Amino acid sequence: MDEDSFDHLVPCSSAAAESAIRIASAGAIWGLCMGPYEADRNGLKGMAKASHTARLSIKSGTNCGFVAVLFTGARCGLRRYRGQDDWVNGFIAAGVTGAVVAARTGARVIPMASMVSVACGAAEYYRLSR
């Protein structure tokens, strides 16, 4: 493991909570940015527009936080189970996360799991190769 990395010292629950807060906040901000746009496109005005924006912000934040907890928990659990902190953990955790999200949303499971696995695995490989 990398000497500068303290990931192995942080409990999985703390890592999952920290990632949930960061990513849920980003999702909520995304909802706040997209809400007015969608409301205008749907012809909403006044309180209906504000209500739509608030609902979208909450929904986006919750969904992003769910994905972050699932991915971080799976990656951390795999790291502890395998005893290694490498890119394989990122690929497997992303595949599991993509499959769960696809099953939850009704999307096609295999393409979603593959797409998320490749994207997150590549990011994990880049993070560990620096």
Side-chain angles (χ1 to χ4, degrees):
M1 280 192 216
D2 188 24
E3 293 285 327
D4 297 332
S5 175
F6 294 103
D7 286 345
H8 62 283
L9 301 175
V10 177
C12 289
S13 58
S14 295
E18 186 265 340
S19 69
I21 291 168
R22 285 181 185 226
I23 304 302
S25 299
I29 291 169
W30 175 259
L32 287 173
C33 293
M34 287 301 296
Y37 170 75
E38 286 187 8
D40 287 341
R41 196 175 63 185
N42 294 334
L44 301 175
K45 303 279 185 213
M47 285 303 291
K49 182 176 182 177
S51 177
H52 176 76
T53 300
R55 275 194 311 270
L56 187 60
S57 178
I58 291 168
K59 182 180 176 183
S60 296
T62 303
N63 288 341
C64 289
F66 171 75
V67 170
V69 166
L70 190 59
F71 175 76
T72 303
R75 186 173 58 99
C76 186
L78 282 165
R79 183 178 63 225
R80 290 184 188 265
Y81 178 75
R82 294 181 63 232
Q84 297 176 354
D85 188 13
D86 59 4
W87 59 271
V88 175
N89 296 340
F91 272 111
I92 295 170
V96 168
T97 302
V100 170
V101 168
R104 184 176 175 214
T105 61
R108 296 179 188 255
V109 175
I110 300 300
M112 177 69 84
S114 300
M115 182 180 70
V116 173
S117 180
V118 168
C120 291
E124 187 79 1
Y125 179 78
Y126 174 75
R127 180 184 72 86
L128 292 171
S129 67
R130 293 185 300 154

